[in-house]
Amino acid sequence: VVLTEEVIRGMAVGKVFSEGEKAINSLDFHRDGNFLVTADDDCIRLYNALSAEQEKLVYNKKYGTACVTFTHHENAILVASKNGWDQSIRYLSLHDNHYLKYFKGHNAPVVSIAMSPVNDTFISASLDLTVRVWDLRSNSQDLLKIESTNKTAIKYHGIAFDPLGLVFASATSQSAKLFDVRQMDKGPFATFDLSFISSSSSSS
């Protein structure tokens, strides 16, 4: 479907998920579109996206929740902490509310997680200005440092894979960088300056 102006104007609310009183800080659809997972500061909710019914509620007050992301399985997710003292990423089974694995390495809050569309690799971005590449099957990781001329100005760090899982993007308020997954050690093959956007936003 091509997202023309006419198509967008014809869109309407399809389902409403009304559970929960706190603001949602993260959400993700499973790749088959049948399930939606959301997170607020204290809990995780799994919804059937077709019926708009809540299927699972998991409290997570000890660690807090942010950056919730599906793995390839509809009952397994990745979730970052939001408690200020733990920067790990947790691999959580929603089937039995059991942590399958912890991924530790970041030194500041994790603000974005993306799952590879083709394998068990996932990437995480943090306010420590690093991108880490992980494997669900092990604790191995690759580290990429994102260069910045003004680290104190970085308030956002997002990442995403392309549909084929060959390229991922890392974007901050200053720049967007594209990396070849097969040659990450060579650095980004393309960089786009975004500092003018943040500068214009500040001035306005």
Side-chain angles (χ1 to χ4, degrees):
V1 177
V2 179
L3 289 179
T4 63
E5 183 176 350
E6 182 180 358
V7 170
I8 294 175
R9 287 182 181 276
M11 292 181 176
V13 176
K15 302 289 183 182
V16 176
F17 305 91
S18 56
E19 291 81 5
E21 298 179 353
K22 292 188 176 181
I24 293 173
N25 62 43
S26 179
L27 55 82
D28 188 37
F29 277 99
H30 189 260
R31 60 180 179 174
D32 63 13
N34 292 332
F35 294 94
L36 170 70
V37 64
T38 69
D40 62 34
D41 291 349
D42 294 330
C43 67
I44 299 165
R45 299 175 191 271
L46 177 68
Y47 293 95
N48 183 312
L50 302 180
S51 64
E53 295 178 350
Q54 178 179 296
E55 296 203 349
K56 193 82 173 181
L57 171 62
V58 177
Y59 286 103
N60 197 27
K61 294 184 178 181
K62 178 180 179 180
Y63 297 102
T65 54
C67 303
V68 63
T69 304
F70 274 111
T71 62
H72 295 298
H73 196 285
E74 61 193 29
N75 272 315
I77 62 171
L78 294 164
V79 59
S81 304
K82 199 179 181 181
N83 54 21
W85 52 266
D86 179 82
Q87 317 303 345
S88 64
I89 301 168
R90 297 179 308 287
Y91 184 16
L92 173 64
S93 168
L94 294 176
H95 173 69
D96 54 5
N97 192 21
H98 176 67
Y99 290 122
L100 304 174
K101 194 168 295 185
Y102 293 79
F103 298 92
K104 299 177 181 287
H106 284 296
N107 299 313
V110 175
V111 291
S112 187
I113 301 173
M115 190 75 205
S116 168
V118 296
N119 56 36
D120 286 330
T121 299
F122 73 93
I123 52 180
S124 59
S126 166
L127 294 182
D128 63 10
L129 291 188
T130 64
V131 171
R132 293 178 185 265
V133 184
W134 313 82
D135 190 321
L136 284 177
R137 298 163 297 183
S138 69
N139 285 322
S140 64
Q141 59 179 287
D142 292 317
L143 171 65
L144 293 174
K145 293 183 178 181
I146 306 301
E147 298 297 328
S148 172
T149 57
N150 185 3
K151 293 185 178 182
T152 59
I154 302 298
K155 297 181 180 180
Y156 172 80
H157 191 180
I159 47 174
F161 274 102
D162 81 316
L164 297 179
L166 299 177
V167 174
F168 71 84
S170 167
T172 68
S173 53
Q174 295 183 353
S175 66
K177 302 175 185 289
L178 301 183
F179 295 84
D180 187 327
V181 174
R182 299 159 296 183
Q183 304 180 68
M184 292 181 297
D185 57 324
K186 294 185 178 180
F189 64 83
T191 300
F192 306 92
D193 182 14
L194 303 178
S195 58
F196 69 93
I197 299 177
S198 56
S199 298
S200 60
S201 298
S202 300
S203 60
S204 59

